Amino acid sequence: MAGWTDTHVHLDDSAFDPDRDAVVARAVAAGVTAMICAGTSVEGSRRAVSLAERHPQVFAAVGVHPQQAALLTDAAVRELAVLARHPRVVAIGETGLDYARGRGDAIVQQRAFAAQARLARETGLPLVVHNREASEDVERILDNEEVCAVVMHCFNGSPDLAARWARAGWMISVAGPLTFPKADVLREAARRVPLDRLLVETDAPYLSPVPVRGRRCEPGFVVHTARMLAGLRHMSDEALASVLADNAARVFPRGLTQGRTAAL
Ligand code: NI
């Protein structure tokens, strides 16, 4: 069986300081053959790269989170550009827009998002996008910057939004909320997204899926979300794992193909 890829995890988070190596080992034991550690700051992106150097199953995404957008100076963009050349870096992000706390810094967020979108285009890497209550502006900036590959991380929108973004060629990555009792709209979206547009992730240490909800999330828990997705799509775990491994290898071309080979 192809291994699972957790396409978005914050392994560098201090929540994992006590047992990070054991967390990675448990994920591997659960069948996770690749994990993409998403940076949320320049410093965090550096930590992600060094984790990717230490663990063959870990890859890095480098970026600055929208809630830290003010930190993305021109010098920080240049630092991300240098990090992006590292062979274990497979994406730019986590970036995006987050208006959940209001639009007070919307201009700053949009500037930081656009700069990282340009970096994705220039490096040829996919862009990992966080979107909260900002779908219109997210679309506008992605269209303007002509980003080639986009991963909508922790998708939580409607079936129509998922379908529109899938038609745009963007990937829909679903996380633990897919398993939550009240998530019928999200489950319907996950049912309707074309199979070749789907990915799974944990966003650990956040958003543990049922049946481990409430605990610190870790990348091995992606199997719970993946199994629910397989059920929604009337597929065996094996068949879904194979599709998702192909999707991940296509979207994250650098290195993840190796992960796939290693799993076979
Ligand atoms: Ni995240």
Side-chain angles (χ1 to χ4, degrees):
M1 167 165 169
W4 302 111
T5 295
D6 181 354
T7 64
H8 192 108
V9 52
H10 299 285
L11 267 181
D12 67 304
D13 193 285
S14 59
F16 296 119
D17 283 352
D19 60 345
R20 190 168 285 106
D21 288 353
V23 165
V24 172
R26 278 197 294 274
V28 173
V32 178
T33 48
M35 294 158 247
I36 300 175
C37 182
T40 57
S41 63
V42 172
E43 201 39 56
S45 298
R46 259 193 230 111
R47 289 196 300 268
V49 170
S50 65
L51 284 167
E53 286 175 337
R54 280 186 40 219
H55 299 278
Q57 300 86 0
V58 176
F59 299 84
V62 296
V64 170
H65 192 280
Q67 286 165 349
Q68 310 211 51
L71 298 178
L72 194 73
T73 58
D74 289 348
V77 174
R78 286 193 295 274
E79 283 191 68
L80 290 182
V82 170
L83 284 171
R85 289 202 289 268
H86 191 285
R88 303 287 293 174
V89 172
V90 296
I92 303 298
E94 163 174 10
T95 179
L97 299 175
D98 191 326
Y99 297 163
R101 299 178 197 171
R103 295 176 184 232
D105 65 343
I107 298 297
V108 175
Q109 287 194 33
Q110 289 171 23
R111 199 180 301 137
F113 182 31
Q116 291 175 86
R118 278 193 294 279
L119 187 56
R121 194 182 60 217
E122 287 161 11
T123 56
L125 291 171
L127 188 67
V128 176
V129 178
H130 168 114
N131 165 45
R132 280 188 75 192
E133 301 175 27
S135 299
E136 273 181 38
D137 286 349
V138 162
E139 279 186 36
R140 179 174 52 76
I141 289 170
L142 291 176
D143 287 343
N144 283 349
E145 301 298 336
E146 297 174 355
V147 178
C148 44
V150 171
V151 177
M152 289 299 183
H153 130 73
C154 198
F155 181 82
N156 67 350
S158 68
D160 285 347
L161 187 67
R164 187 162 84 238
W165 285 356
R167 273 197 304 279
W170 302 344
M171 302 302 288
I172 306 296
S173 185
V174 294
L178 186 75
T179 66
F180 294 177
K182 290 180 180 162
D184 288 331
V185 172
L186 178 56
R187 281 188 284 274
E188 183 55 28
R191 256 186 221 108
R192 281 171 43 187
V193 173
L195 268 183
D196 64 354
R197 293 285 183 267
L198 276 171
L199 295 169
V200 285
E201 63 170 77
T202 56
D203 205 16
Y206 313 107
L207 298 171
S208 274
V210 173
V212 284
R213 195 175 177 183
R215 286 170 53 186
R216 180 193 66 175
C217 191
E218 52 180 77
F221 295 173
V222 78
V223 297
H224 300 295
T225 304
R227 280 187 200 128
M228 168 153 283
L229 186 58
L232 291 171
R233 302 300 301 228
H234 305 291
M235 296 171 77
S236 66
D237 291 356
E238 288 78 6
L240 181 68
S242 174
V243 166
L244 295 184
D246 287 345
N247 290 351
R250 192 179 72 242
V251 178
F252 303 103
R254 205 196 269 177
L256 277 191
T257 324
Q258 277 174 319
R260 169 95 165 128
T261 312
L264 291 174

